[in-house]
Amino acid sequence: MELDPVLLSRIQFAFLVSFHIIFPAFTIGLAAWLATLEGMRLFTGNPVYRRIFDFWLKVFAVSFGMGVVTGIVMAFQFGTNWGVLAERTGSIQGPLLGYESFTAFLLEATFFGVMLLGRNRVSPGFYFFACCMVALGTMFSSFWILANNSWMQVPVGHEIVDGQIVPADWREIVLGPVMLVRWPHMLLAAFITSAMCIAATGAWYVLRDVHRLEARVMLNWGLGLAAVLMPVQLFVGHLTGIYVYEHQPAKFAAIEARWENQQPASEVWLAWPDRAEQRNLFAIETPRVGSFIATGEWDAELQGLEDFPEEDWPPVVIPFFGFRIMVGMGLIMLGVGWLGLFLRWSGRLERTRWFLWATFLSFPTGFIAILSGWFTAEVGRQPWVVYGLLRTSDAVTPSLTVSDVLVSLTVYALVYAVFVGFGTYYIYKLLRDGPAGEAEPIPGATASRPLAFADDAETATIGQARRRP
Amino acid sequence: MSGVEPSTLALFWAAVIAASIAIYVLLDGFDIGVGILFGTTRDELRREQMMATIAPFWDGNETWLIVIGASLFAAFPAVYAIFLGAFYLPVLLMLIGLIFRGVAFEFRYRTERMRWVWDGGFFYGSVVVAFVQGAAVGALMRGIPVENMQYAGGALDWLHPFPVLTGLGLVLGYALLGAGWLVLKSEGDVREWARARVFWLALAVFAVFGPAIAVALTVDISPGLREASARFDTFSLVAAAVGFYALLGVVACARGRRDAMPYALTALFFLAAFLALASMMWPYMIPYSVTVADAAAPEASLEFFFYAGAIALPVVAIYTIGVYWVFRGKVDRYQP
């Protein structure tokens, strides 16, 4: 494949957004988890919830900080690399993404600060309220991102005036039917991802025989949430697939590696899609099931890629495997969740070491599912950046050269390797050490410096600085 | 197209962006400036106290940069696209600089052995951020080629003698703001150290101004700069004069006993320079091809986004004031 600014810009965007999404996804789930813990503590008065809360609050703070920094870089990508997109659709995407930035600020400037620094300054009821507002705020943040992306997937509520794409109906743009299945899909993904991380952390402690009391709570809640939410997610995921079938038939055909029109259509479980030959090698398939999954009828006709002009074809391999990896991860999480519940019910959970190992090793499953799902959605939308309205190849900043993007991509890769590597290692260390004393806010730290919060007070010299009395 | 009058909402958003730029320069300017000064001393105690004077503020200050970016994209998408396209490499450098600056605050205290890495990142990050911001102003004044509402030039077009001088000028200017801030917020050794630098930095800013104007009018002249000098009217003259005397005042009060004066007068100097520039540019956002009215998003977008601004901006402003209030007064180096 030849290098050109479009391809390199796509790689750069994919690289930056993949590193970014890990943190907000984790943060959304953790915020809800923290609100739950605080609610449980208020309700039961059990101090174990407080210890677990203080521990996860540190992880949350670091994750939030990493999300903010990597998000700032994202905010400039639309202008630097996708100038035509920014200019042509900015009247819709600009306000949506602007709402997201402002939501994040509101959060940082208000309840997030209370959550990090206000434990001893506000009443327990208000503190719990602040936790709930932070959880809501992270969800709103994702709401705007999903509204923006859903509009790029299935543009609605706009009209074209003098070649410019302008908003006509904001309600339709923000609350369209596609948005209303994709946002819950993302929220559930975030919740389940965090649930798996919480369960895996608990399993890790049991395997090492440390923090047993806290570990039990984490295992119960993490596995329980995964067991309950995963079936819901499979259903919502199915609805998401239906929107693809209805609005993006070429993407649907690519995900299913269906080259020719079929009636009834078979379901290809695994294969190697060969684009040159337009057929699947080593295919494992079942007749008629494809029709049933898409339409609920066993003998419906489904479109293959042959029905579309080849210049409108998305790549096939990435959506095909991305989708299957996502579903595979979902099934693993479902299995771990249900098996965990069964073992808990029969009282063997904390003695079944192989299962604890399996739970521990499931730590990344949610992240893998989120990334592969997003790759399916975004690569499957190609060759369009805004489906049916603007081609990706026409959206790039016209002045960019190959060397410009090579330079920026290399620099981002190097800096992120150091910075995200260090941040991830830091979260790992926090998780490894486990719950200890109370999280101590450092004097001089504000809500916009969550990393300082997660630190131990005595190692931060800034903490020794103080105001003159 | 330039004859069209901007709508009230377009004016509102232009005003929000202009105010955010001014606030950003005055606030983030001092903490970037402290970062620049940080690299000019090896004394660890002094460095720690310098960090402590900006630790509670820097991240809130950077918030205004995001307000500028988000508002531009929402209200003036064409300007957002042209500007970021024209400054592809400077923006990259700025983001990397901001990342290194940000992590230095937390990471330098985690390690003794590797501290020099984060300290170096803090210093160089600060210098780079200041330089590219100043260079962008210079390049904007020289003029940016635009075709079909997209940037139509190369990635290094901004690299000219005049923008290099404005970049250098902003490095010195931010350092001056930073020195003024240190005088305001510290005592003892650091305050004396910073006082001496206020004097020399103010002179250095003067010293860069002369060559910059000379270069702008001779070897590096461009249609943009010709237009800018033609637009230099009474208002610009008054603003420039205020700036001139404010900077003279900084030199005069550098050794005085009033700790707030250097920062306040430097801030006045920046505000005056900002107003002089703005009056030469108005009503253009990309001088001299794209006006506020040209670039404004449709009314439906401006109106929809108005509610976000009306809710979020006051809260961000109150938060900013609140943080400065909580951390008012001098910072001591150590608890007894």
Side-chain angles (χ1 to χ4, degrees), chain A residues 84-115:
Chain A
V84 175
L85 173 73
E87 195 254 324
R88 297 253 350 249
T89 66
S91 62
I92 291 173
Q93 294 195 280
L96 293 176
L97 294 173
Y99 260 95
E100 197 281 330
S101 298
F102 283 10
T103 309
F105 290 149
L106 281 180
L107 201 62
E108 234 179 59
T110 53
F111 297 107
F112 188 58
V114 175
M115 200 169 167

mmCIF file of all heavy atoms in Angstrom, chain A residues 84-115:
data_model
loop_
_atom_site.group_PDB
_atom_site.id
_atom_site.type_symbol
_atom_site.label_atom_id
_atom_site.label_comp_id
_atom_site.label_asym_id
_atom_site.label_seq_id
_atom_site.Cartn_x
_atom_site.Cartn_y
_atom_site.Cartn_z
ATOM 1 N N VAL A 84 -10.823 19.603 5.839
ATOM 2 C CA VAL A 84 -12.027 19.706 5.013
ATOM 3 C C VAL A 84 -13.235 19.199 5.790
ATOM 4 O O VAL A 84 -14.314 19.802 5.769
ATOM 5 C CB VAL A 84 -11.851 18.922 3.691
ATOM 6 C CG1 VAL A 84 -13.147 18.927 2.898
ATOM 7 C CG2 VAL A 84 -10.728 19.536 2.872
ATOM 8 N N LEU A 85 -13.038 18.105 6.521
ATOM 9 C CA LEU A 85 -14.123 17.611 7.377
ATOM 10 C C LEU A 85 -14.534 18.693 8.375
ATOM 11 O O LEU A 85 -15.722 18.987 8.542
ATOM 12 C CB LEU A 85 -13.663 16.352 8.123
ATOM 13 C CG LEU A 85 -14.632 15.822 9.177
ATOM 14 C CD1 LEU A 85 -15.833 15.172 8.521
ATOM 15 C CD2 LEU A 85 -13.946 14.829 10.112
ATOM 16 N N ALA A 86 -13.533 19.296 9.027
ATOM 17 C CA ALA A 86 -13.829 20.305 10.053
ATOM 18 C C ALA A 86 -14.590 21.475 9.443
ATOM 19 O O ALA A 86 -15.535 22.000 10.041
ATOM 20 C CB ALA A 86 -12.536 20.800 10.701
ATOM 21 N N GLU A 87 -14.181 21.863 8.248
ATOM 22 C CA GLU A 87 -14.807 23.040 7.647
ATOM 23 C C GLU A 87 -16.203 22.710 7.105
ATOM 24 O O GLU A 87 -17.150 23.461 7.304
ATOM 25 C CB GLU A 87 -13.907 23.578 6.534
ATOM 26 C CG GLU A 87 -14.257 24.969 6.071
ATOM 27 C CD GLU A 87 -14.945 24.947 4.712
ATOM 28 O OE1 GLU A 87 -14.579 24.111 3.859
ATOM 29 O OE2 GLU A 87 -15.866 25.771 4.520
ATOM 30 N N ARG A 88 -16.342 21.545 6.464
ATOM 31 C CA ARG A 88 -17.619 21.222 5.826
ATOM 32 C C ARG A 88 -18.683 20.805 6.836
ATOM 33 O O ARG A 88 -19.859 21.095 6.665
ATOM 34 C CB ARG A 88 -17.430 20.074 4.806
ATOM 35 C CG ARG A 88 -16.516 20.433 3.667
ATOM 36 C CD ARG A 88 -17.185 20.676 2.312
ATOM 37 N NE ARG A 88 -18.577 20.334 2.155
ATOM 38 C CZ ARG A 88 -19.033 19.342 1.418
ATOM 39 N NH1 ARG A 88 -18.196 18.548 0.798
ATOM 40 N NH2 ARG A 88 -20.318 19.151 1.294
ATOM 41 N N THR A 89 -18.283 20.087 7.872
ATOM 42 C CA THR A 89 -19.286 19.583 8.821
ATOM 43 C C THR A 89 -19.137 20.216 10.198
ATOM 44 O O THR A 89 -19.804 19.807 11.144
ATOM 45 C CB THR A 89 -19.168 18.049 8.980
ATOM 46 O OG1 THR A 89 -17.921 17.776 9.602
ATOM 47 C CG2 THR A 89 -19.227 17.351 7.653
ATOM 48 N N GLY A 90 -18.251 21.215 10.308
ATOM 49 C CA GLY A 90 -17.993 21.835 11.610
ATOM 50 C C GLY A 90 -19.235 22.417 12.245
ATOM 51 O O GLY A 90 -19.344 22.469 13.469
ATOM 52 N N SER A 91 -20.192 22.846 11.425
ATOM 53 C CA SER A 91 -21.383 23.450 12.019
ATOM 54 C C SER A 91 -22.210 22.423 12.788
ATOM 55 O O SER A 91 -23.043 22.793 13.601
ATOM 56 C CB SER A 91 -22.235 24.110 10.937
ATOM 57 O OG SER A 91 -22.661 23.140 10.014
ATOM 58 N N ILE A 92 -21.960 21.132 12.540
ATOM 59 C CA ILE A 92 -22.635 20.095 13.323
ATOM 60 C C ILE A 92 -21.668 19.456 14.328
ATOM 61 O O ILE A 92 -21.962 19.358 15.513
ATOM 62 C CB ILE A 92 -23.238 19.022 12.398
ATOM 63 C CG1 ILE A 92 -24.417 19.637 11.627
ATOM 64 C CG2 ILE A 92 -23.685 17.805 13.185
ATOM 65 C CD1 ILE A 92 -25.009 18.755 10.568
ATOM 66 N N GLN A 93 -20.496 19.052 13.837
ATOM 67 C CA GLN A 93 -19.555 18.376 14.735
ATOM 68 C C GLN A 93 -18.947 19.322 15.764
ATOM 69 O O GLN A 93 -18.679 18.914 16.899
ATOM 70 C CB GLN A 93 -18.439 17.730 13.913
ATOM 71 C CG GLN A 93 -18.947 16.607 13.041
ATOM 72 C CD GLN A 93 -17.801 15.768 12.527
ATOM 73 O OE1 GLN A 93 -17.123 16.120 11.585
ATOM 74 N NE2 GLN A 93 -17.578 14.657 13.190
ATOM 75 N N GLY A 94 -18.730 20.576 15.365
ATOM 76 C CA GLY A 94 -18.122 21.532 16.286
ATOM 77 C C GLY A 94 -18.928 21.706 17.561
ATOM 78 O O GLY A 94 -18.400 21.522 18.662
ATOM 79 N N PRO A 95 -20.227 22.053 17.451
ATOM 80 C CA PRO A 95 -21.016 22.193 18.680
ATOM 81 C C PRO A 95 -21.110 20.894 19.486
ATOM 82 O O PRO A 95 -21.048 20.931 20.715
ATOM 83 C CB PRO A 95 -22.398 22.613 18.156
ATOM 84 C CG PRO A 95 -22.113 23.309 16.881
ATOM 85 C CD PRO A 95 -20.942 22.582 16.279
ATOM 86 N N LEU A 96 -21.225 19.739 18.813
ATOM 87 C CA LEU A 96 -21.334 18.487 19.565
ATOM 88 C C LEU A 96 -20.065 18.234 20.382
ATOM 89 O O LEU A 96 -20.124 17.919 21.578
ATOM 90 C CB LEU A 96 -21.596 17.314 18.618
ATOM 91 C CG LEU A 96 -22.949 17.322 17.896
ATOM 92 C CD1 LEU A 96 -23.036 16.159 16.910
ATOM 93 C CD2 LEU A 96 -24.094 17.238 18.894
ATOM 94 N N LEU A 97 -18.914 18.398 19.731
ATOM 95 C CA LEU A 97 -17.661 18.170 20.454
ATOM 96 C C LEU A 97 -17.400 19.292 21.448
ATOM 97 O O LEU A 97 -16.808 19.076 22.504
ATOM 98 C CB LEU A 97 -16.499 18.020 19.459
ATOM 99 C CG LEU A 97 -16.603 16.769 18.587
ATOM 100 C CD1 LEU A 97 -15.521 16.754 17.514
ATOM 101 C CD2 LEU A 97 -16.498 15.514 19.437
ATOM 102 N N GLY A 98 -17.864 20.508 21.106
ATOM 103 C CA GLY A 98 -17.743 21.622 22.045
ATOM 104 C C GLY A 98 -18.531 21.355 23.314
ATOM 105 O O GLY A 98 -18.056 21.624 24.420
ATOM 106 N N TYR A 99 -19.719 20.789 23.165
ATOM 107 C CA TYR A 99 -20.504 20.424 24.342
ATOM 108 C C TYR A 99 -19.731 19.435 25.205
ATOM 109 O O TYR A 99 -19.769 19.490 26.429
ATOM 110 C CB TYR A 99 -21.849 19.810 23.929
ATOM 111 C CG TYR A 99 -23.003 20.794 24.020
ATOM 112 C CD1 TYR A 99 -23.415 21.519 22.924
ATOM 113 C CD2 TYR A 99 -23.658 20.990 25.229
ATOM 114 C CE1 TYR A 99 -24.460 22.429 23.003
ATOM 115 C CE2 TYR A 99 -24.700 21.893 25.328
ATOM 116 C CZ TYR A 99 -25.097 22.611 24.214
ATOM 117 O OH TYR A 99 -26.120 23.505 24.327
ATOM 118 N N GLU A 100 -19.035 18.524 24.558
ATOM 119 C CA GLU A 100 -18.282 17.530 25.318
ATOM 120 C C GLU A 100 -17.170 18.207 26.129
ATOM 121 O O GLU A 100 -17.022 17.951 27.325
ATOM 122 C CB GLU A 100 -17.686 16.483 24.377
ATOM 123 C CG GLU A 100 -17.244 15.222 25.091
ATOM 124 C CD GLU A 100 -15.901 15.367 25.782
ATOM 125 O OE1 GLU A 100 -15.057 16.152 25.297
ATOM 126 O OE2 GLU A 100 -15.680 14.720 26.806
ATOM 127 N N SER A 101 -16.422 19.106 25.482
ATOM 128 C CA SER A 101 -15.349 19.803 26.211
ATOM 129 C C SER A 101 -15.914 20.547 27.405
ATOM 130 O O SER A 101 -15.384 20.472 28.514
ATOM 131 C CB SER A 101 -14.671 20.830 25.305
ATOM 132 O OG SER A 101 -14.073 20.210 24.221
ATOM 133 N N PHE A 102 -17.005 21.260 27.173
ATOM 134 C CA PHE A 102 -17.557 22.081 28.242
ATOM 135 C C PHE A 102 -18.131 21.206 29.361
ATOM 136 O O PHE A 102 -18.033 21.553 30.537
ATOM 137 C CB PHE A 102 -18.614 23.032 27.685
ATOM 138 C CG PHE A 102 -18.026 24.215 26.946
ATOM 139 C CD1 PHE A 102 -16.683 24.263 26.634
ATOM 140 C CD2 PHE A 102 -18.809 25.298 26.581
ATOM 141 C CE1 PHE A 102 -16.126 25.349 25.963
ATOM 142 C CE2 PHE A 102 -18.260 26.400 25.912
ATOM 143 C CZ PHE A 102 -16.924 26.416 25.602
ATOM 144 N N THR A 103 -18.720 20.063 28.993
ATOM 145 C CA THR A 103 -19.207 19.140 30.021
ATOM 146 C C THR A 103 -18.049 18.682 30.903
ATOM 147 O O THR A 103 -18.154 18.646 32.131
ATOM 148 C CB THR A 103 -19.858 17.900 29.372
ATOM 149 O OG1 THR A 103 -20.804 18.331 28.411
ATOM 150 C CG2 THR A 103 -20.546 17.045 30.406
ATOM 151 N N ALA A 104 -16.931 18.345 30.244
ATOM 152 C CA ALA A 104 -15.775 17.875 31.006
ATOM 153 C C ALA A 104 -15.273 18.959 31.957
ATOM 154 O O ALA A 104 -14.916 18.676 33.102
ATOM 155 C CB ALA A 104 -14.662 17.440 30.051
ATOM 156 N N PHE A 105 -15.273 20.218 31.492
ATOM 157 C CA PHE A 105 -14.840 21.309 32.378
ATOM 158 C C PHE A 105 -15.756 21.458 33.561
ATOM 159 O O PHE A 105 -15.311 21.633 34.688
ATOM 160 C CB PHE A 105 -14.863 22.650 31.658
ATOM 161 C CG PHE A 105 -13.818 22.758 30.629
ATOM 162 C CD1 PHE A 105 -14.011 23.510 29.509
ATOM 163 C CD2 PHE A 105 -12.624 22.088 30.791
ATOM 164 C CE1 PHE A 105 -13.046 23.589 28.549
ATOM 165 C CE2 PHE A 105 -11.651 22.170 29.839
ATOM 166 C CZ PHE A 105 -11.875 22.930 28.708
ATOM 167 N N LEU A 106 -17.061 21.415 33.272
ATOM 168 C CA LEU A 106 -18.033 21.587 34.345
ATOM 169 C C LEU A 106 -17.771 20.558 35.436
ATOM 170 O O LEU A 106 -17.779 20.847 36.618
ATOM 171 C CB LEU A 106 -19.451 21.413 33.818
ATOM 172 C CG LEU A 106 -20.012 22.625 33.090
ATOM 173 C CD1 LEU A 106 -21.414 22.347 32.602
ATOM 174 C CD2 LEU A 106 -20.023 23.828 34.016
ATOM 175 N N LEU A 107 -17.484 19.344 34.956
ATOM 176 C CA LEU A 107 -17.233 18.245 35.873
ATOM 177 C C LEU A 107 -16.001 18.517 36.714
ATOM 178 O O LEU A 107 -15.998 18.383 37.931
ATOM 179 C CB LEU A 107 -16.996 17.019 34.998
ATOM 180 C CG LEU A 107 -17.191 15.701 35.628
ATOM 181 C CD1 LEU A 107 -18.624 15.613 36.062
ATOM 182 C CD2 LEU A 107 -16.893 14.624 34.608
ATOM 183 N N GLU A 108 -14.915 18.920 36.021
ATOM 184 C CA GLU A 108 -13.653 19.153 36.692
ATOM 185 C C GLU A 108 -13.783 20.282 37.699
ATOM 186 O O GLU A 108 -13.207 20.248 38.774
ATOM 187 C CB GLU A 108 -12.611 19.532 35.646
ATOM 188 C CG GLU A 108 -11.384 18.684 35.676
ATOM 189 C CD GLU A 108 -10.436 19.126 34.589
ATOM 190 O OE1 GLU A 108 -10.033 20.292 34.593
ATOM 191 O OE2 GLU A 108 -10.120 18.298 33.714
ATOM 192 N N ALA A 109 -14.540 21.300 37.301
ATOM 193 C CA ALA A 109 -14.594 22.509 38.114
ATOM 194 C C ALA A 109 -15.540 22.354 39.288
ATOM 195 O O ALA A 109 -15.536 23.182 40.192
ATOM 196 C CB ALA A 109 -15.025 23.693 37.259
ATOM 197 N N THR A 110 -16.374 21.325 39.308
ATOM 198 C CA THR A 110 -17.388 21.259 40.358
ATOM 199 C C THR A 110 -17.275 19.968 41.165
ATOM 200 O O THR A 110 -16.484 19.879 42.090
ATOM 201 C CB THR A 110 -18.792 21.379 39.750
ATOM 202 O OG1 THR A 110 -18.924 20.407 38.719
ATOM 203 C CG2 THR A 110 -19.011 22.753 39.155
ATOM 204 N N PHE A 111 -18.023 18.954 40.775
ATOM 205 C CA PHE A 111 -18.172 17.785 41.639
ATOM 206 C C PHE A 111 -16.930 16.902 41.691
ATOM 207 O O PHE A 111 -16.711 16.214 42.674
ATOM 208 C CB PHE A 111 -19.397 16.983 41.213
ATOM 209 C CG PHE A 111 -20.655 17.760 41.380
ATOM 210 C CD1 PHE A 111 -21.340 18.255 40.290
ATOM 211 C CD2 PHE A 111 -21.143 18.044 42.647
ATOM 212 C CE1 PHE A 111 -22.498 18.986 40.446
ATOM 213 C CE2 PHE A 111 -22.296 18.788 42.814
ATOM 214 C CZ PHE A 111 -22.973 19.259 41.712
ATOM 215 N N PHE A 112 -16.140 16.924 40.632
ATOM 216 C CA PHE A 112 -14.910 16.131 40.671
ATOM 217 C C PHE A 112 -13.989 16.649 41.777
ATOM 218 O O PHE A 112 -13.339 15.880 42.481
ATOM 219 C CB PHE A 112 -14.224 16.182 39.306
ATOM 220 C CG PHE A 112 -13.058 15.253 39.170
ATOM 221 C CD1 PHE A 112 -13.207 13.894 39.368
ATOM 222 C CD2 PHE A 112 -11.801 15.741 38.837
ATOM 223 C CE1 PHE A 112 -12.128 13.038 39.250
ATOM 224 C CE2 PHE A 112 -10.724 14.882 38.713
ATOM 225 C CZ PHE A 112 -10.885 13.536 38.912
ATOM 226 N N GLY A 113 -13.955 17.974 41.918
ATOM 227 C CA GLY A 113 -13.158 18.572 42.985
ATOM 228 C C GLY A 113 -13.664 18.162 44.359
ATOM 229 O O GLY A 113 -12.884 17.827 45.252
ATOM 230 N N VAL A 114 -14.986 18.152 44.525
ATOM 231 C CA VAL A 114 -15.563 17.721 45.806
ATOM 232 C C VAL A 114 -15.166 16.277 46.079
ATOM 233 O O VAL A 114 -14.781 15.896 47.186
ATOM 234 C CB VAL A 114 -17.098 17.867 45.773
ATOM 235 C CG1 VAL A 114 -17.702 17.308 47.057
ATOM 236 C CG2 VAL A 114 -17.491 19.320 45.577
ATOM 237 N N MET A 115 -15.229 15.468 45.046
ATOM 238 C CA MET A 115 -14.941 14.046 45.202
ATOM 239 C C MET A 115 -13.485 13.828 45.638
ATOM 240 O O MET A 115 -13.196 12.998 46.497
ATOM 241 C CB MET A 115 -15.195 13.356 43.861
ATOM 242 C CG MET A 115 -15.401 11.879 43.940
ATOM 243 S SD MET A 115 -15.993 11.320 42.332
ATOM 244 C CE MET A 115 -15.771 9.570 42.539
#
